[in-house]
Amino acid sequence: MEIKKTLTTAPKAKPADESKLGFGHVFTDHMLIMPYDTGKGWHDPEIVPYGNISISPAAMCLHYGQTVFEGMKAYRTADDKIQLFRPEENFKRLNLSNERLVIPELPVDLAMQCLTELLEVEKDWVPHLDGTSLYIRPFIVAVDPFLGVRPGDQYLFMIVLSPSGAYYASGLNPVSIYVEDKYVRAVRGGMGFAKTGGNYAASLHSQDDAHKLNYSQVLWLDGVEQKYIEEVGAMNIFFVIDGEVVTPTLEVGSILGGITRKSTLDLCRSWGMKVSERRISIQEIADAYDAGKLEEVFGTGTAAVISPVGHLKWGDKVMEINHNEIGPISQKIYDTLTGIQWGKIEDTFGWVKKLD
Ligand SMILES: *Cc1c(COP(=O)(O)O)cnc(C)c1O
């Protein structure tokens, strides 16, 4: 499909100090927008100057939450090339989310074309400083001007880009998280596996409570028995118990299948480590801790890559993990994934997609 390009006549100044980028505040000069209409399909993709969009106040996404999104990064390598990490996986996952939310499929090839042509225009916006990246936010929203509850007939697919600072400016500091035993994030048969706005709206109250208690995030339990571990805010969770790497199984459908999770499992298996994906109860974790066998706990996600957990609070019990320091397995996974992402070490898995 041909992508029409209208370039800005007023390019913005690039952020002067890349050490102060933070996350999600700064946007590049252009964005991609492509409508969908029933009967016509996805059509007329355009790259246009970044700016506000106009939709009806009755647009369905504003009322009933028919929205999906993705999150990924573009990395600048030492030889000044731009590369992506498993981008097709993100667009495959977008389609899993689409299917659940009754949003029409977006062919992976078309999504990839939209992304690579946008990045071609915006490549100077990929920051240079160590650990920085260009965050990529593709999303789809239903925009029919209609107040009835039904799947939309009109959608917008968009991609916006945001240069982001290094997640760890001063080393991998462990986070403190607590086990949420009041609210739940997702239930069996719900939409926990989809990256859709409603899941994050459902998480805000707990996140707020966690911050008030000086915890950075919460660990969600399953929505049926509140017994089995699911995941953290926007991260999957891993435990190293007595030398074995374990993470909750995706089978129940209430956990988001992270690409960092998948890559972590692939790496650990390639190193010959004992790995299992299964149901893990919070009681099992507390017992392993008491027996001195809970060696490491870490979250995985695109933003932080690996986020070591230093304190895990469950009710009155506060578990300090690995003396509140990053463990050797977490460190090795972090070094390898970030090494591949920024092109510092060889990618023997075929994960990296270089832009030409
Ligand atoms: C995005 C996300 C993750 C992590 O997925 P990655 O593909 O590794 O970034 C985990 N959990 C939730 C709820 C998420 O939204």
Side-chain angles (χ1 to χ4, degrees):
M1 213 180 280
E2 199 186 328
I3 301 180
K4 186 177 162 201
K5 298 187 177 84
T6 309
L7 301 186
T8 181
T9 51
K12 294 177 267 200
K14 306 278 187 303
D17 186 353
E18 291 185 348
S19 70
K20 298 216 163 65
L21 279 171
F23 174 79
H25 298 289
V26 180
F27 296 94
T28 67
D29 282 325
H30 301 90
M31 60 187 188
L32 179 124
I33 184 161
M34 175 167 65
Y36 174 98
D37 291 275
T38 296
K40 221 172 154 185
W42 295 107
H43 64 93
D44 298 299
E46 279 194 68
I47 290 169
V48 296
Y50 181 91
N52 293 350
I53 56 170
S54 175
I55 55 175
S56 162
M60 290 169 76
C61 62
L62 299 177
H63 303 271
Y64 308 123
Q66 203 190 6
T67 69
V68 292
F69 68 94
E70 269 305 322
M72 59 217 269
K73 289 172 172 177
Y75 308 85
R76 188 180 292 279
T77 63
D79 59 352
D80 229 14
K81 297 275 188 298
I82 310 297
Q83 60 185 33
L84 299 166
F85 183 75
R86 311 187 82 176
E88 285 93 352
E89 293 291 333
N90 288 88
F91 290 125
K92 280 188 215 158
R93 182 171 69 192
L94 185 66
N95 280 317
L96 286 181
S97 303
N98 284 343
E99 206 281 329
R100 181 64 183 83
L101 275 288
V102 202
I103 293 173
E105 183 184 351
L106 173 63
V108 171
D109 287 352
L110 177 56
M112 281 300 297
Q113 184 199 351
C114 289
L115 176 58
T116 50
E117 291 197 27
L118 179 63
L119 287 172
E120 194 52 48
V121 173
E122 298 294 68
K123 59 178 178 239
D124 290 347
W125 280 94
V126 182
H128 300 73
L129 198 66
D130 217 25
T132 61
S133 59
L134 184 67
Y135 185 78
I136 301 167
R137 170 52 58 87
F139 61 99
I140 302 176
V141 294
V143 293
D144 310 39
F146 176 58
L147 291 181
V149 178
R150 60 153 173 79
D153 280 316
Q154 299 167 26
Y155 296 88
L156 290 176
F157 168 60
M158 298 188 63
I159 306 176
V160 296
L161 306 172
S162 175
S164 305
Y167 195 88
Y168 295 109
S170 55
L172 276 83
N173 296 325
V175 294
S176 297
I177 61 180
Y178 82 73
V179 178
E180 173 60 271
D181 52 15
K182 182 177 177 196
Y183 299 108
V184 299
R185 172 186 176 274
V187 293
R188 181 171 34 189
M191 52 187 193
F193 67 88
K195 249 178 149 63
T196 180
N199 288 336
Y200 304 85
S203 75
L204 296 176
H205 202 295
S206 300
Q207 191 182 305
D208 225 33
D209 293 347
H211 289 170
K212 282 181 194 141
L213 294 173
N214 272 323
Y215 282 81
S216 62
Q217 303 205 36
V218 303
L219 181 62
W220 298 105
L221 297 179
D222 77 276
V224 179
E225 296 171 83
Q226 290 189 270
K227 198 168 144 188
Y228 296 99
I229 291 168
E230 301 232 303
E231 60 176 316
V232 191
M235 287 196 292
N236 295 111
I237 188 89
F238 282 76
F239 303 90
V240 183
I241 305 172
D242 205 11
E244 183 183 15
V245 175
V246 294
T247 191
T249 171
L250 301 180
E251 272 164 24
V252 185
S254 47
I255 298 174
L256 197 293
I259 293 155
T260 322
R261 173 187 182 279
K262 188 175 181 167
S263 307
T264 296
L265 290 169
D266 290 346
L267 275 185
C268 290
R269 290 187 175 117
S270 80
W271 293 332
M273 294 176 70
K274 219 172 134 204
V275 173
S276 73
E277 295 173 72
R278 58 177 173 82
R279 298 201 89 181
I280 309 158
S281 69
I282 183 64
Q283 186 65 55
E284 178 187 343
I285 295 303
D287 292 346
Y289 178 78
D290 290 340
K293 291 181 173 170
L294 184 61
E295 291 153 5
E296 299 183 36
V297 180
F298 58 93
T300 63
T302 296
V305 188
I306 298 294
S307 183
V309 176
H311 292 97
L312 181 58
K313 174 174 154 62
W314 179 35
D316 294 332
K317 188 181 180 75
V318 179
M319 299 173 250
E320 186 180 73
I321 294 122
N322 195 43
H323 313 292
N324 195 31
E325 282 166 21
I326 183 166
I329 295 174
S330 314
Q331 185 75 56
K332 186 175 176 190
I333 297 165
Y334 178 80
D335 291 344
T336 309
L337 284 177
T338 55
I340 293 172
Q341 288 166 339
W342 273 275
K344 290 177 181 162
I345 62 179
E346 195 198 345
D347 167 28
T348 55
F349 295 89
W351 286 340
V352 160
K353 184 178 168 60
K354 295 181 157 63
L355 297 191
D356 21 58

